[in-house]
Amino acid sequence: MGGSLAGLLAAHALTGYADRVTLVERDRFPEGMEPRPGVPQGRHPHVLLEGGQTALESLLPGFLTELTAEGSPRVGMPSGLLIRQDGRWIRRLPATTHIHTGSRAQLEGLIRRRVLADPVIEVLEGTDVRGLLGDAARVRGVLLRQRSGGTRGKPDELEADLVVDASGSGTKAARWLTAIGAEAAYEETIDTGLAYASRLYRGPSGSLDGDTAGYYVYPGPDQTRAGGALPLEDGTHLVILSGLRGDEPPTGADEFVAFAKRLPHPPLHRWLDRAEPLSPAFGYRQPVNIRRRYDLPGRHPAGFLATGDALCTFNPIYGQGMAVAAMNAVALRDALAEPGRTPTTRRVQRAILASSRLAWDISAGADRKMPGAIGTAVGSGPADRAADWYLRRVQARYYGDPVVGRAFRSVLGLAAPVTALLTPSVARAVLLRPLPTTPADPPMTPE
């Protein structure tokens, strides 16, 4: 259910284990690489983190070469970006990881072209899922209705041995499961009231000031406004501004620029004064961290799995969603391929959820500290407070320490577990060394 990144990649992962995989999508897919109405964040910046790149290459060998050939910018971190966080500029040391910053439409279009070429996959476009078939013990299919066919008449039934919910953060799975006598998943939530707006610009040249691919100022408890500019495949830059509840960035042209000028990030608004706007500003107002705990005890039927944003929805500021969708698909594939064990719904769902855990810990761990955060997962215990003490020391040093920076970026990029921050060399720097110096002024060129 759902033909976005998570649905496409889950369908691909299942092709080795099913005679037919039916992908049900409410939209009509565009002919080219254009934003779809059903992707509410499609007009906003997206990044593909290193963990997502590894997962995509595992699922679709050669994909990264194709992505680069299509012009998707590959930006080194931290050398390629001018970054400010917690009131400090990050040293632009040689890159230890890379991100792709091309448009969501381009990435999804390339994946769709590869995945839907498989004859095992059948696509039902312009079709809504209206409910589930089955009972509290087992899901046995879905109820469908063509979007062009009106609302009268009985929905069509499509039987299935396995139903995968990849319908995104707006999933109706809770209602559908309750309707067949099953139990909805418990939801862990953290809502900071974040809102953001994005606008497309073309600058005087392909790069920004100096040897700089993009700008970014991250939000934090003491600096809740954020913003940046990231390069796209056509030489333009997508500018994003964000603020919390009551301080939402406006979408009016003049007001958008005025909001940028209130950031502690002068290079961004100086560049905006010289850049040409190519689109109106598009706003988005509903980014809440949600983790649906199908792994917990309850009346959760066999034959039903959730993946992507239908399982875990993250604050998009951290750029994790596309990477996690790919990592979920790898977890699905590998759990089904585990030798000597018959895959059960609960075990496979736990594997998919486990592949999301690092991203959740990063996003939720940062957002629960933001002023005004509300939700069921805002509280923390003694173990969390001890971990927070260590992580605060890590973060204070990663801005300027090469050893700590390499390890921390690998974790933030979902390429290494959090234990990478506990190796002897990192622990010595975190616990014994003084705070490293960082640039007093914006470092406009890499070191």
Side-chain angles (χ1 to χ4, degrees), residues 316-354:
I317 287 294
Y318 307 111
Q320 300 165 318
M322 298 195 303
V324 171
M327 295 165 74
N328 287 172
V330 170
L332 170 62
R333 179 198 65 188
D334 292 351
L336 294 175
E338 191 173 353
R341 303 181 73 182
T342 300
T344 66
T345 300
R346 182 178 295 274
R347 182 147 42 81
V348 174
Q349 185 67 82
R350 284 177 174 170
I352 298 172
L353 186 68

Side-chain angles (χ1 to χ4, degrees), residues 148-318:
S148 59
T151 59
R152 296 183 179 180
K154 186 178 179 181
D156 295 326
E157 295 185 358
L158 175 64
E159 295 184 355
D161 299 299
L162 174 66
V163 173
V164 179
D165 182 10
S167 58
S169 58
T171 176
K172 298 179 177 63
R175 189 174 73 198
W176 296 335
L177 289 167
T178 302
I180 61 171
E183 188 176 346
Y186 173 73
E187 293 186 354
E188 297 174 315
T189 62
I190 300 176
D191 179 9
T192 64
L194 177 76
Y196 54 97
S198 301
R199 193 179 188 191
L200 188 65
Y201 283 84
R202 186 181 299 280
S205 64
S207 62
L208 304 182
D209 294 320
D211 186 10
T212 304
Y215 301 143
Y216 212 86
V217 56
Y218 279 93
D222 299 322
Q223 169 54 49
T224 56
R225 287 178 181 162
L230 293 175
L232 298 180
E233 61 272 13
D234 60 359
T236 62
H237 282 75
L238 198 50
V239 174
I240 182 171
L241 303 173
S242 70
L244 299 188
R245 194 180 290 110
D247 188 32
E248 297 89 348
T251 55
D254 294 339
E255 295 83 358
F256 184 87
V257 175
F259 188 96
K261 290 185 177 181
R262 296 197 295 270
L263 293 173
H265 198 298
L268 175 60
H269 63 70
R270 283 201 291 258
W271 181 79
L272 287 177
D273 286 338
R274 306 193 310 274
E276 175 193 3
L278 300 178
S279 76
F282 295 93
Y284 191 64
R285 298 289 192 269
Q286 293 180 307
V288 179
N289 297 284
I290 304 175
R291 180 162 64 168
R292 297 176 175 89
R293 299 299 301 272
Y294 290 101
D295 59 314
L296 297 178
R299 297 191 310 278
H300 303 313
F304 181 87
L305 298 172
T307 188
D309 279 356
L311 180 63
C312 283
T313 304
F314 307 97
N315 182 336
I317 287 294
Y318 307 111

